[in-house]
Coordinates of all heavy atoms in Angstrom, one line a residue:
M300 N 112.2 87.0 156.9 CA 112.5 85.8 157.7 C 112.8 86.1 159.1 O 113.5 87.1 159.3 CB 113.7 85.0 157.0 CG 113.9 83.6 157.5 SD 115.3 82.8 156.6 CE 114.5 82.6 155.0
L301 N 112.3 85.4 160.0 CA 112.6 85.7 161.4 C 113.5 84.6 162.0 O 113.4 83.5 161.7 CB 111.3 85.6 162.2 CG 110.2 86.6 161.7 CD1 108.9 86.2 162.4 CD2 110.6 88.0 162.0
F302 N 114.5 85.1 162.8 CA 115.3 84.2 163.5 C 115.0 84.2 165.0 O 115.2 85.2 165.6 CB 116.8 84.6 163.2 CG 117.2 84.4 161.8 CD1 117.0 85.4 160.9 CD2 117.8 83.2 161.4 CE1 117.3 85.3 159.6 CE2 118.2 83.1 160.1 CZ 117.9 84.1 159.2
P303 N 114.7 83.1 165.5 CA 114.5 83.0 167.0 C 115.8 83.2 167.7 O 116.8 82.6 167.3 CB 113.9 81.7 167.2 CG 114.1 80.9 165.9 CD 114.4 81.8 164.8
L304 N 115.9 84.0 168.7 CA 117.1 84.4 169.2 C 117.7 83.4 170.3 O 118.9 83.3 170.4 CB 117.0 85.8 169.9 CG 116.7 86.9 168.9 CD1 116.5 88.2 169.6 CD2 117.9 87.0 167.9
E305 N 116.8 82.9 171.1 CA 117.3 82.1 172.2 C 117.0 80.6 172.0 O 116.7 79.9 172.9 CB 116.7 82.6 173.5 CG 117.2 84.0 173.8 CD 116.7 84.5 175.0 OE1 115.5 84.3 175.4 OE2 117.4 85.2 175.8
Q306 N 117.0 80.1 170.8 CA 116.6 78.7 170.5 C 117.9 77.9 170.3 O 118.7 78.2 169.4 CB 115.8 78.6 169.3 CG 114.3 78.8 169.5 CD 113.6 77.7 170.3 OE1 114.3 76.6 170.4 NE2 112.4 77.8 170.7
D307 N 118.0 76.9 171.1 CA 119.0 75.9 170.8 C 118.5 75.1 169.7 O 117.4 74.6 169.6 CB 119.2 75.0 172.1 CG 120.3 74.0 171.9 OD1 120.0 73.0 171.1 OD2 121.3 74.1 172.5
Y308 N 119.4 74.9 168.7 CA 118.9 74.2 167.5 C 118.5 72.8 167.7 O 117.6 72.3 167.0 CB 119.9 74.4 166.3 CG 121.0 73.3 166.2 CD1 120.8 72.2 165.5 CD2 122.2 73.5 166.9 CE1 121.8 71.2 165.4 CE2 123.2 72.6 166.8 CZ 123.0 71.4 166.1 OH 123.9 70.5 166.0
L309 N 119.1 72.1 168.7 CA 118.7 70.8 169.0 C 117.3 70.7 169.6 O 116.5 69.8 169.2 CB 119.7 70.1 169.9 CG 121.1 69.8 169.2 CD1 122.0 69.3 170.3 CD2 120.9 68.8 168.1
N310 N 117.0 71.6 170.5 CA 115.6 71.7 171.0 C 114.6 72.0 169.9 O 113.5 71.4 169.8 CB 115.5 72.8 172.1 CG 116.3 72.5 173.3 OD1 116.6 71.3 173.6 ND2 116.6 73.5 174.1
W311 N 115.0 72.9 169.0 CA 114.2 73.4 167.9 C 113.9 72.2 167.0 O 112.8 71.9 166.6 CB 115.0 74.4 167.2 CG 114.3 75.1 166.0 CD1 114.5 74.9 164.7 CD2 113.3 76.2 166.1 NE1 113.7 75.7 164.0 CE2 113.0 76.5 164.8 CE3 112.7 76.8 167.2 CZ2 112.1 77.5 164.5 CZ3 111.8 77.8 166.9 CH2 111.5 78.2 165.6
T312 N 115.0 71.4 166.7 CA 114.9 70.3 165.9 C 113.9 69.2 166.4 O 113.1 68.7 165.6 CB 116.3 69.7 165.6 OG1 117.1 70.7 165.1 CG2 116.3 68.5 164.7
S313 N 114.1 69.0 167.7 CA 113.2 67.9 168.2 C 111.7 68.4 168.4 O 110.8 67.7 168.2 CB 113.7 67.3 169.5 OG 113.8 68.3 170.5
K314 N 111.6 69.7 168.8 CA 110.3 70.3 169.0 C 109.4 70.3 167.7 O 108.3 70.0 167.7 CB 110.5 71.8 169.4 CG 109.2 72.5 169.8 CD 109.5 73.8 170.4 CE 108.1 74.5 170.7 NZ 108.4 75.9 171.2
Y315 N 110.1 70.5 166.6 CA 109.3 70.6 165.3 C 109.6 69.4 164.4 O 109.2 69.3 163.2 CB 109.6 71.9 164.6 CG 109.1 73.1 165.3 CD1 110.0 73.9 166.0 CD2 107.7 73.3 165.4 CE1 109.5 75.0 166.7 CE2 107.2 74.3 166.2 CZ 108.1 75.2 166.8 OH 107.6 76.2 167.5
N316 N 110.3 68.4 165.0 CA 110.6 67.1 164.3 C 111.3 67.4 162.9 O 110.9 66.9 161.9 CB 109.3 66.3 164.0 CG 109.5 64.9 163.7 OD1 110.6 64.4 164.0 ND2 108.6 64.3 163.0
L317 N 112.3 68.2 163.0 CA 113.1 68.6 161.8 C 114.3 67.7 161.8 O 114.7 67.1 162.8 CB 113.5 70.1 161.9 CG 112.3 71.0 161.9 CD1 112.8 72.4 162.4 CD2 111.7 71.2 160.5
R318 N 114.9 67.7 160.6 CA 116.2 66.9 160.5 C 117.3 67.8 160.1 O 117.2 68.6 159.1 CB 116.0 65.8 159.4 CG 115.2 64.7 159.9 CD 115.9 63.3 159.8 NE 116.4 63.0 158.5 CZ 115.8 62.3 157.6 NH1 114.6 61.8 157.9 NH2 116.3 62.0 156.5
V319 N 118.4 67.8 160.8 CA 119.6 68.5 160.4 C 120.2 67.8 159.2 O 120.5 66.6 159.3 CB 120.6 68.6 161.6 CG1 121.9 69.3 161.1 CG2 120.0 69.4 162.7
K320 N 120.5 68.5 158.2 CA 121.1 67.9 157.0 C 122.5 68.4 156.8 O 122.8 69.5 157.1 CB 120.3 68.3 155.7 CG 118.9 67.7 155.8 CD 118.1 68.2 154.5 CE 116.7 67.7 154.5 NZ 115.9 68.3 153.4
T321 N 123.3 67.5 156.3 CA 124.7 67.9 155.9 C 124.9 67.5 154.5 O 124.3 66.6 153.9 CB 125.7 67.2 156.8 OG1 125.6 65.8 156.7 CG2 125.6 67.6 158.3
G322 N 125.8 68.3 153.9 CA 126.2 68.0 152.5 C 127.2 69.0 152.0 O 127.8 69.7 152.8
S323 N 127.4 69.0 150.7 CA 128.4 69.9 150.2 C 127.8 70.9 149.3 O 126.8 70.7 148.6 CB 129.4 69.1 149.2 OG 130.0 68.0 150.0
C324 N 128.3 72.1 149.4 CA 127.9 73.2 148.6 C 128.1 72.9 147.1 O 129.1 72.5 146.7 CB 128.6 74.5 149.0 SG 128.1 75.9 147.9
L325 N 127.0 73.2 146.3 CA 127.1 72.9 144.9 C 128.1 73.9 144.2 O 128.5 73.7 143.1 CB 125.7 73.0 144.2 CG 124.8 71.9 144.6 CD1 123.4 72.2 144.0 CD2 125.3 70.5 144.2
C326 N 128.3 75.0 144.9 CA 129.2 76.0 144.3 C 130.6 75.8 144.6 O 131.5 75.8 143.7 CB 128.7 77.4 144.8 SG 129.6 78.8 144.1
C327 N 131.0 75.7 145.9 CA 132.4 75.7 146.4 C 132.8 74.3 147.0 O 134.0 74.1 147.2 CB 132.6 76.8 147.3 SG 131.8 76.6 148.9
G328 N 131.8 73.5 147.2 CA 132.2 72.2 147.8 C 132.4 72.1 149.3 O 132.6 71.1 149.9
K329 N 132.2 73.3 150.0 CA 132.4 73.3 151.4 C 131.2 72.6 152.1 O 130.1 72.5 151.6 CB 132.3 74.8 151.8 CG 132.6 75.0 153.3 CD 132.7 76.5 153.6 CE 132.8 76.7 155.1 NZ 133.2 78.0 155.5
E330 N 131.5 72.0 153.2 CA 130.5 71.2 154.0 C 129.4 72.2 154.5 O 129.8 73.3 155.0 CB 131.1 70.4 155.1 CG 130.0 69.6 155.8 CD 130.6 68.7 156.9 OE1 131.0 69.3 157.9 OE2 130.5 67.5 156.8
I331 N 128.2 71.8 154.3 CA 127.1 72.6 154.8 C 126.3 71.8 155.8 O 126.0 70.6 155.6 CB 126.2 72.9 153.5 CG1 126.8 74.0 152.7 CG2 124.8 73.4 154.0 CD1 126.1 74.3 151.5
V332 N 125.9 72.5 156.9 CA 125.1 71.9 157.9 C 123.9 72.8 158.2 O 124.1 74.0 158.4 CB 125.9 71.7 159.2 CG1 125.0 71.0 160.3 CG2 127.1 70.9 159.0
T333 N 122.7 72.3 158.2 CA 121.5 73.1 158.4 C 121.3 73.1 160.0 O 120.5 72.3 160.5 CB 120.3 72.6 157.7 OG1 120.0 71.3 158.1 CG2 120.5 72.7 156.2
D334 N 122.0 74.0 160.7 CA 121.8 74.0 162.1 C 121.4 75.4 162.6 O 121.6 75.8 163.8 CB 123.1 73.6 162.8 CG 124.3 74.4 162.4 OD1 124.2 75.4 161.7 OD2 125.4 74.0 162.9
V335 N 120.8 76.2 161.8 CA 120.3 77.5 162.2 C 118.8 77.6 162.1 O 118.2 77.4 161.1 CB 120.9 78.7 161.2 CG1 120.4 80.0 161.7 CG2 122.4 78.6 161.2
P336 N 118.1 77.7 163.3 CA 116.7 77.7 163.3 C 116.2 78.9 162.7 O 116.7 80.0 162.8 CB 116.3 77.7 164.8 CG 117.6 77.3 165.5 CD 118.7 77.7 164.6
F337 N 115.1 78.8 161.9 CA 114.4 80.0 161.4 C 112.9 79.7 161.4 O 112.4 78.6 161.5 CB 114.9 80.4 160.1 CG 114.4 79.6 158.9 CD1 113.2 79.9 158.2 CD2 115.1 78.5 158.5 CE1 112.8 79.1 157.2 CE2 114.7 77.7 157.4 CZ 113.5 78.0 156.8
A338 N 112.2 80.8 161.5 CA 110.7 80.7 161.5 C 110.1 81.7 160.4 O 110.5 82.8 160.3 CB 110.2 81.2 162.9
L339 N 109.2 81.1 159.7 CA 108.4 81.9 158.8 C 107.0 81.8 159.3 O 106.6 80.9 160.1 CB 108.4 81.3 157.4 CG 109.7 81.4 156.6 CD1 109.6 80.5 155.4 CD2 110.0 82.8 156.2
K340 N 106.1 82.7 158.9 CA 104.7 82.6 159.4 C 104.1 81.3 159.0 O 104.0 80.9 157.8 CB 103.9 83.7 158.7 CG 102.5 83.8 159.3 CD 101.8 85.1 158.7 CE 100.5 85.4 159.4 NZ 99.5 84.2 159.2
G341 N 103.8 80.5 160.0 CA 103.2 79.2 159.7 C 104.2 78.0 159.5 O 103.8 76.9 159.3
Y342 N 105.5 78.4 159.5 CA 106.5 77.3 159.2 C 107.6 77.5 160.2 O 108.0 78.5 160.6 CB 107.0 77.5 157.7 CG 106.0 77.4 156.7 CD1 105.3 78.4 156.3 CD2 105.7 76.1 156.1 CE1 104.3 78.3 155.3 CE2 104.7 76.0 155.2 CZ 104.0 77.1 154.8 OH 103.0 76.9 153.8
R343 N 108.3 76.3 160.4 CA 109.5 76.3 161.2 C 110.5 75.5 160.5 O 110.2 74.4 159.9 CB 109.2 75.7 162.6 CG 108.2 76.4 163.5 CD 108.8 77.8 163.8 NE 107.8 78.6 164.7 CZ 106.9 79.4 164.2 NH1 106.8 79.6 162.9 NH2 106.1 80.0 165.0
G344 N 111.7 75.9 160.5 CA 112.7 75.2 159.8 C 114.1 75.4 160.2 O 114.4 76.0 161.2
L345 N 115.0 74.8 159.4 CA 116.4 75.0 159.7 C 117.1 75.4 158.4 O 116.7 75.0 157.3 CB 117.1 73.6 160.1 CG 116.7 73.0 161.4 CD1 117.0 71.5 161.5 CD2 117.3 73.8 162.6
K346 N 118.1 76.2 158.5 CA 118.9 76.6 157.4 C 120.4 76.5 157.7 O 120.8 76.4 158.9 CB 118.5 78.0 157.0 CG 118.9 79.1 157.9 CD 118.4 80.5 157.5 CE 119.1 81.1 156.3 NZ 120.5 81.6 156.5
S347 N 121.2 76.6 156.6 CA 122.6 76.7 156.8 C 123.0 78.1 156.9 O 122.4 79.0 156.3 CB 123.3 75.9 155.7 OG 123.1 76.5 154.5
E348 N 124.2 78.4 157.5 CA 124.7 79.8 157.4 C 125.2 80.1 156.0 O 125.5 79.2 155.3 CB 126.0 79.8 158.3 CG 125.8 79.5 159.7 CD 125.6 80.7 160.6 OE1 125.2 81.8 160.1 OE2 125.9 80.6 161.8
D349 N 125.1 81.3 155.7 CA 125.7 81.8 154.4 C 127.2 81.7 154.6 O 127.8 82.4 155.5 CB 125.2 83.2 154.1 CG 125.8 83.7 152.8 OD1 126.6 83.0 152.2 OD2 125.5 84.8 152.4
H350 N 127.9 80.9 153.9 CA 129.3 80.7 154.1 C 130.1 81.5 153.0 O 131.3 81.2 152.8 CB 129.7 79.2 154.0 CG 129.3 78.6 152.7 ND1 128.0 78.2 152.5 CD2 130.0 78.3 151.6 CE1 127.9 77.7 151.2 NE2 129.1 77.8 150.7
G351 N 129.5 82.3 152.3 CA 130.2 83.2 151.3 C 129.7 83.0 149.9 O 130.1 83.8 149.0
C352 N 128.9 82.0 149.6 CA 128.4 81.8 148.3 C 127.0 82.4 148.0 O 126.5 82.4 146.9 CB 128.3 80.3 147.9 SG 129.9 79.5 147.8
G353 N 126.5 83.1 149.0 CA 125.2 83.7 148.8 C 124.0 82.9 149.3 O 124.1 81.7 149.4
E354 N 122.9 83.6 149.4 CA 121.7 82.9 149.9 C 121.2 81.8 149.1 O 120.7 80.8 149.6 CB 120.6 84.0 150.0 CG 119.4 83.6 150.8 CD 119.6 83.5 152.3 OE1 120.5 84.0 152.9 OE2 118.7 82.8 152.9
E355 N 121.5 81.9 147.8 CA 120.9 80.8 146.9 C 121.7 79.5 147.1 O 121.2 78.4 146.8 CB 121.0 81.2 145.4 CG 122.5 81.3 144.9 CD 122.5 81.8 143.5 OE1 122.1 81.0 142.5 OE2 122.9 83.0 143.3
F356 N 122.9 79.5 147.8 CA 123.6 78.3 148.1 C 123.5 77.9 149.5 O 124.2 77.0 150.0 CB 125.0 78.4 147.6 CG 125.2 78.4 146.1 CD1 125.4 79.5 145.4 CD2 125.0 77.2 145.4 CE1 125.5 79.5 144.0 CE2 125.1 77.2 144.0 CZ 125.4 78.3 143.4
T357 N 122.7 78.6 150.3 CA 122.4 78.0 151.6 C 121.3 77.0 151.5 O 120.5 77.0 150.5 CB 121.9 79.1 152.6 OG1 120.7 79.7 152.1 CG2 122.9 80.2 152.8
W358 N 121.2 76.1 152.4 CA 120.2 75.0 152.4 C 119.1 75.4 153.4 O 119.4 75.9 154.5 CB 120.8 73.7 152.8 CG 121.7 73.1 151.7 CD1 122.2 73.7 150.6 CD2 122.1 71.7 151.7 NE1 123.0 72.8 150.0 CE2 122.9 71.6 150.5 CE3 121.9 70.6 152.5 CZ2 123.6 70.4 150.2 CZ3 122.5 69.4 152.2 CH2 123.3 69.3 151.0
K359 N 117.9 75.0 153.1 CA 116.8 75.3 154.0 C 115.9 74.1 154.0 O 115.6 73.5 152.9 CB 116.0 76.5 153.5 CG 116.7 77.8 153.5 CD 115.9 78.9 153.0 CE 116.7 80.2 152.8 NZ 117.6 80.0 151.6
S360 N 115.4 73.7 155.1 CA 114.3 72.8 155.1 C 113.3 73.2 156.2 O 113.7 73.8 157.2 CB 114.8 71.4 155.5 OG 115.4 71.4 156.8
F361 N 112.0 73.1 155.9 CA 111.0 73.6 156.8 C 109.8 72.8 156.7 O 109.5 72.1 155.8 CB 110.8 75.1 156.6 CG 110.5 75.5 155.2 CD1 109.2 75.5 154.7 CD2 111.6 75.9 154.4 CE1 109.0 75.9 153.4 CE2 111.4 76.2 153.1 CZ 110.0 76.3 152.6
K362 N 108.9 73.0 157.8 CA 107.7 72.3 157.9 C 106.6 73.2 158.2 O 106.8 74.2 159.0 CB 107.8 71.2 159.0 CG 108.6 70.0 158.6 CD 108.4 68.9 159.7 CE 109.0 67.7 159.1 NZ 108.9 66.6 160.1
P363 N 105.4 72.9 157.7 CA 104.2 73.7 158.1 C 103.8 73.3 159.5 O 103.9 72.2 159.9 CB 103.1 73.3 157.1 CG 103.5 71.9 156.7 CD 105.0 71.9 156.8
I364 N 103.4 74.3 160.3 CA 103.0 74.0 161.7 C 101.5 74.3 161.9 O 100.9 73.9 162.9 CB 103.8 74.8 162.7 CG1 103.8 76.3 162.4 CG2 105.2 74.3 162.8 CD1 104.2 77.1 163.6
G365 N 100.8 75.0 161.0 CA 99.4 75.3 161.2 C 98.6 74.5 160.2 O 99.1 74.1 159.1
Q366 N 97.3 74.3 160.5 CA 96.5 73.5 159.6 C 96.3 74.1 158.2 O 96.3 73.5 157.2 CB 95.1 73.2 160.2 CG 94.2 72.2 159.5 CD 95.0 70.8 159.4 OE1 95.5 70.3 160.4 NE2 95.0 70.3 158.2
K367 N 96.1 75.5 158.3 CA 96.0 76.2 157.0 C 97.2 76.0 156.1 O 97.1 75.7 155.0 CB 95.8 77.7 157.3 CG 95.6 78.6 156.1 CD 95.1 79.9 156.5 CE 95.4 81.0 155.5 NZ 96.7 81.5 155.6
E368 N 98.4 76.1 156.8 CA 99.7 75.9 156.0 C 99.8 74.5 155.6 O 100.3 74.2 154.5 CB 100.9 76.3 156.9 CG 101.0 77.8 157.1 CD 100.0 78.3 158.1 OE1 99.4 77.5 158.9 OE2 99.9 79.6 158.2
K369 N 99.3 73.5 156.4 CA 99.4 72.1 156.0 C 98.5 71.9 154.7 O 98.9 71.2 153.8 CB 99.0 71.2 157.1 CG 100.0 71.0 158.2 CD 99.6 70.2 159.3 CE 100.7 70.0 160.3 NZ 100.3 69.7 161.7
D370 N 97.4 72.5 154.7 CA 96.5 72.4 153.6 C 97.2 73.0 152.3 O 97.1 72.4 151.2 CB 95.1 73.0 153.8 CG 94.3 72.3 154.9 OD1 94.7 71.1 155.2 OD2 93.4 72.9 155.4
T371 N 97.8 74.1 152.5 CA 98.5 74.7 151.4 C 99.6 73.9 151.0 O 99.9 73.7 149.7 CB 99.0 76.1 151.8 OG1 97.9 76.9 152.4 CG2 99.6 76.9 150.7
W372 N 100.3 73.4 151.9 CA 101.5 72.5 151.7 C 101.1 71.4 150.8 O 101.8 71.0 149.9 CB 102.1 72.0 153.0 CG 103.3 71.4 153.0 CD1 103.5 70.0 153.1 CD2 104.6 71.9 152.9 NE1 104.9 69.7 153.0 CE2 105.6 70.8 152.9 CE3 105.1 73.2 152.8 CZ2 106.9 71.0 152.9 CZ3 106.5 73.4 152.7 CH2 107.4 72.4 152.7
D373 N 100.0 70.8 151.1 CA 99.6 69.5 150.3 C 99.3 69.9 148.8 O 99.5 69.0 148.0 CB 98.3 69.0 150.9 CG 98.6 68.3 152.3 OD1 99.7 68.0 152.5 OD2 97.6 68.1 153.0
S374 N 99.0 71.2 148.6 CA 98.7 71.5 147.2 C 99.8 72.2 146.5 O 99.7 72.6 145.4 CB 97.4 72.3 147.2 OG 97.6 73.5 147.9
L375 N 100.9 72.3 147.2 CA 102.0 73.0 146.6 C 103.1 72.0 146.0 O 103.3 70.9 146.6 CB 102.8 73.8 147.6 CG 102.3 75.2 147.9 CD1 103.1 75.9 149.0 CD2 102.3 76.1 146.7
T376 N 103.7 72.3 145.0 CA 104.9 71.6 144.5 C 106.0 72.5 144.7 O 106.1 73.6 144.2 CB 104.7 71.2 143.0 OG1 103.6 70.5 142.8 CG2 106.0 70.4 142.6
I377 N 106.9 72.0 145.6 CA 108.1 72.8 145.9 C 109.4 72.3 145.3 O 109.6 71.1 145.3 CB 108.3 72.8 147.5 CG1 107.1 73.2 148.2 CG2 109.5 73.7 147.8 CD1 106.9 74.6 148.6
S378 N 110.1 73.1 144.6 CA 111.3 72.6 144.1 C 112.4 73.5 144.8 O 112.4 74.6 145.0 CB 111.4 72.9 142.6 OG 111.4 74.3 142.3
M379 N 113.3 72.7 145.4 CA 114.4 73.4 146.2 C 115.8 72.8 145.7 O 115.9 71.6 145.4 CB 114.2 73.1 147.6 CG 113.1 73.9 148.2 SD 112.8 73.6 149.9 CE 114.3 74.5 150.6
Ligands
LIG680 ZN1 129.7 77.5 148.8

């Protein structure tokens, strides 16, 4: 996973039409905010910081940015 270093998350969010999500951790109940930009090959997204419960309890949301990824996206069923 790649983390863009100089990205303001609000710019990132509007640039890629992402939504910052808030909620409670299913493990500890702590409030979670997805305000950390991240980039995967062909995808851009937001994640929450690891607050101590491990990567499986961080939240991630992301979108495909390339046509190839969009085609793949359409044929994928994602469970998160
Ligand atoms: Zn937690």
Side-chain angles (χ1 to χ4, degrees):
M300 195 177 289
L301 302 169
F302 293 86
L304 293 177
E305 294 180 323
Q306 276 285 353
D307 181 287
Y308 86 90
L309 290 174
N310 290 341
W311 185 258
T312 302
S313 63
K314 184 173 179 184
Y315 294 108
N316 197 26
L317 299 161
R318 288 237 303 264
V319 175
K320 295 180 186 172
T321 59
S323 302
C324 175
L325 292 174
C326 180
C327 70
K329 186 173 173 166
E330 185 179 63
I331 286 177
V332 183
T333 59
D334 59 2
V335 182
F337 76 90
L339 294 168
K340 188 173 188 299
Y342 299 90
R343 297 295 180 269
L345 291 165
K346 69 186 288 290
S347 62
E348 299 263 25
D349 180 358
H350 59 279
C352 291
E354 190 71 19
E355 69 184 285
F356 289 102
T357 61
W358 289 14
K359 299 178 191 69
S360 60
F361 50 90
K362 286 192 170 178
I364 55 164
Q366 191 56 50
K367 181 167 161 276
E368 286 78 11
K369 282 177 180 156
D370 292 344
T371 307
W372 188 257
D373 286 342
S374 62
L375 276 179
T376 303
I377 307 262
S378 65
M379 291 181 70

